[in-house]
């Protein structure tokens, strides 16, 4: 098959400490949600939709799903509010849009796209981003839409321990229903034209300082796409992913040092780990290779394998 026809897709619902024993009966609901969204993305790619449209649609569905820390069901900051971060990037021309600290965008990934397409800017934050959403008829919601009771409980635990926690990370003592241990979401795709795209969306970390911005909306950190190299969406402790410029460093290793996607991604994640960070990423390269590495015990993920089948996995095996 000519490489131009190699459609590829992968998504993640966050990386972290996912306890197999406690997860139990809920596991199948998670797997079904991930598989359904990946299946929809596959159908769209087969129908000729662009990778850019497909990653937006997939992340929008993940934001709407309460299982994940993005959009509806996002984690809460120290003030008990949501501050939503998202980015989307098109590999063909490196067009990108991003939003940080939105308190009202129903689908932050759609706001990120609107910022890319309808403003001269790449990244809008806070009140300005929310005003832009209203002005451009991007759907907004009151706080109550985003907040699940479990998130308030999670915030109270984090406050009691004076911790800022990754949504899914039990090592900080967040011992909730596994439903609450999920994370950031993201998608990467390669379309029939050979074009790559990436999108990421998150509520960030529980009990984060108001105003804190993670890696997801920072182009070159948690989100990256360039048709010459790869599309990347990351999840994990954002401060480390920012300091490692994860998306751009993988790109740079591929283009300047001729490294494979897997070698480049492994090297960059090893650096994240050496600095003390945990997490993972999903990646597709210009040749259609798909790579989903993580250094935490689990990462919710689904992808299209080389035989065109949807695969879903949570743990390392
Ligand atoms: N990377 C996200 C952040 O630091 C958190 C996550 O992936 O769960 O905002």
């Amino acid at each position: 098959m000519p490489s131009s026809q190699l459609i590829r897709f992968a998504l993640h619902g966050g990386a972290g400490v996912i306890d197999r024993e406690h997860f139990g009966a809920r596991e199948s609901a998670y797997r079904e949600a991930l598989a359904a969204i990946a299946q929809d993305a596959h159908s769209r790619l087969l129908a000729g939709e662009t990778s850019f449209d497909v990653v937006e649609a997939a992340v929008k569905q993940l934001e709407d799903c309460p299982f994940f820390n993005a959009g509806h069901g996002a984690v809460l900051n120290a003030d008990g509010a949501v501050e939503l971060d998202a980015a989307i990037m098109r590999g063909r021309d490196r067009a990108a849009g991003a939003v940080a600290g939105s308190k009202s965008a129903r689908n932050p990934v759609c706001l990120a796209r609107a910022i890319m397409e309808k403003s001269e800017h790449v990244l809008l934050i806070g009140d300005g981003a929310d005003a832009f959403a209203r002005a451009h008829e991007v759907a907004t919601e009151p706080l109550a839409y985003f907040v699940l009771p479990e998130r308030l409980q999670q915030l109270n635990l984090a406050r009691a321990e004076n911790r800022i926690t990754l949504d899914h990370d039990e090592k900080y003592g967040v011992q909730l229903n596994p439903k609450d241990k999920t994370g950031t979401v993201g998608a990467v795709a390669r379309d029939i034209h050979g074009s790559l795209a990436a999108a990421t969306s998150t509520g960030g970390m529980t009990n984060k300082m108001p105003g804190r911005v993670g890696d997801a909306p920072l182009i070159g950190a948690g989100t990256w796409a360039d048709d010459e190299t790869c599309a990347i969406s990351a999840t994990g402790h954002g401060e480390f992913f920012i300091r490692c410029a994860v998306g751009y460093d993988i790109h740079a290793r591929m283009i300047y040092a001729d490294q494979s996607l897997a070698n480049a991604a492994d090297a960059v994640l090893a650096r994240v780990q050496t600095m003390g960070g945990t997490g993972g990423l999903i990646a597709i390269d210009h040749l259609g290779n798909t790579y989903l590495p993580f250094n935490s015990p689990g990462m919710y993920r689904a992808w299209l394998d080389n035989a065109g089948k949807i695969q879903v996995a949570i743990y390392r095996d």
Side-chain angles (χ1 to χ4, degrees), residues 69 166 168 183-184 202 204-205 212 214-215 235-238:
N69 168 22
L166 269 180
H168 30 244
T184 291
T202 187
M205 296 176 75
R212 179 263 188 186
D215 58 314
T235 170
H237 197 142

Side-chain angles (χ1 to χ4, degrees), residues 101-171:
S102 169
K103 289 189 161 73
S104 68
R106 180 184 176 101
N107 291 107
V109 72
C110 301
L111 178 53
R113 180 174 183 160
I115 290 165
M116 174 186 128
E117 292 180 336
K118 297 177 181 161
S119 83
E120 291 177 34
H121 306 301
V122 168
L123 171 62
L124 291 183
I125 63 166
D127 292 345
D130 286 330
F132 184 88
R134 290 191 297 276
H136 290 84
E137 289 172 5
V138 178
T140 56
E141 297 286 350
L143 179 61
Y145 167 79
F146 300 100
V147 180
L148 301 179
E150 300 88 333
R151 295 303 190 197
L152 279 172
Q153 191 193 348
Q154 187 180 36
L155 174 63
N156 288 337
L157 278 172
R159 275 178 174 156
E161 295 197 345
N162 200 21
R163 298 275 194 191
I164 298 166
T165 63
L166 269 180
D167 183 31
H168 30 244
D169 208 338
E170 291 168 293
K171 88 178 172 188

